[in-house]
Amino acid sequence: MNLRNAHAWSVPTEKALKLIASYAPLLELGAGTGYWASQLMEFATDILVFDEKHFQSSFNDQTQISEGQEISARYFCQVQQGGPEIANKYADRTLLLMWPDYMGFGTYGLQCLQHYQGNTLILIGEWKNSTFGSYAQGISEHGQSFSLDFQEKVEAEFELIEILDLPTWPLFLDRLQIFRRRNTQKKRRFRKGCIFLKGLGPTETVVILHK
């Protein structure tokens, strides 16, 4: 747990970083230590990085984290001060969120989504069809990364276009998912072929079309 808190709650891979970088320019909110962003910068990725410096219980009152507690004691890159409202300014950037809702509760992720007027989301963490929550006591069935309200809003307003499973810490099932807003009028072009990904659930198979 200490290692995860000191670096990142999800484990980056070169493949994941290159995939994220292909959707630049990026805006990351709730960046924590900035570890993923620092790795993306190694690929010369255009990314702006923000987070609150201290924990605000108004975003999540179902944790044991104290109001005003410092979010991170160490940063791997420059993390600017800012919360969900920052998304209002950057509709031209892909919004990157990783574990915005501690233990799957709270409103931080949802507020980011409400402020964001752009078309593309990159979400990293657990999702309701990929979690140990159905088997492990004390773990939310919709996962520990995003609130259920956030997930339902994303699925209602965006379509899943790409997915990548990630290495995981024990008892976590992280993945990288890319969504595009459903009502966008921008024409999309797809490469020939598709990828069939299994393992999203007992009987689920998702077809991912590449842009």
Side-chain angles (χ1 to χ4, degrees):
M1 178 65 78
N2 288 336
L3 182 62
R4 187 163 68 106
N5 287 339
H7 291 80
W9 283 47
S10 293
V11 180
T13 64
E14 182 176 352
K15 185 175 182 179
L17 293 168
K18 287 182 177 180
L19 178 58
I20 295 171
S22 72
Y23 284 87
L26 306 171
L27 169 67
E28 183 179 8
L29 299 179
T33 66
Y35 183 75
W36 276 71
S38 71
Q39 299 301 297
L40 285 164
M41 290 175 184
E42 295 292 325
F43 291 94
T45 306
D46 182 352
I47 180 171
L48 298 177
V49 190
F50 291 86
D51 202 351
E52 305 287 355
K53 298 301 182 183
H54 300 90
F55 178 76
Q56 298 181 26
S57 59
S58 59
F59 290 127
N60 191 337
D61 60 3
Q62 299 188 52
T63 75
Q64 297 180 348
I65 303 175
S66 302
E67 174 74 20
Q69 180 177 323
E70 190 176 29
I71 289 178
S72 179
R74 176 189 182 189
Y75 294 95
F76 291 89
C77 67
Q78 181 181 4
V79 178
Q80 301 181 66
Q81 170 72 35
E85 72 285 351
I86 295 295
N88 273 325
K89 302 178 180 180
Y90 297 105
D92 58 331
R93 289 177 174 264
T94 295
L95 177 59
L96 174 62
L97 295 174
M98 306 184 195
W99 288 79
D101 301 319
Y102 182 73
M103 296 304 294
F105 300 108
T107 63
Y108 189 93
L110 186 62
Q111 289 187 44
C112 290
L113 192 59
Q114 290 168 340
H115 284 289
Y116 181 59
Q117 300 302 311
N119 293 324
T120 308
L121 303 174
I122 298 180
L123 307 178
I124 295 176
E126 297 187 319
W127 205 252
K128 59 186 179 181
N129 59 4
S130 177
T131 170
F132 287 116
S134 299
Y135 312 100
Q137 186 175 4
I139 298 179
S140 304
E141 290 193 11
H142 59 270
Q144 304 174 78
S145 311
F146 303 93
S147 72
L148 184 58
D149 286 343
F150 174 88
Q151 294 182 48
E152 290 178 343
K153 185 174 178 63
V154 167
E155 291 181 345
E157 299 180 6
F158 293 77
E159 60 180 332
L160 178 65
I161 60 171
E162 203 150 0
I163 191 168
L164 177 67
D165 287 331
L166 297 171
T168 62
W169 299 101
L171 294 180
F172 296 94
L173 288 174
D174 296 67
R175 59 181 30 166
L176 185 161
Q177 298 182 100
I178 301 174
F179 292 85
R180 183 164 290 146
R181 195 178 295 276
R182 293 183 185 278
N183 63 357
T184 180
Q185 297 301 309
K186 183 178 180 179
K187 293 182 179 181
R188 287 173 295 153
R189 299 172 61 187
F190 295 92
R191 294 194 294 265
K192 293 182 179 180
C194 57
I195 299 176
F196 294 85
L197 297 170
K198 299 182 179 180
L200 301 183
T203 60
E204 295 177 271
T205 299
V206 173
V207 178
I208 306 301
L209 297 175
H210 284 264
K211 65 173 188 173

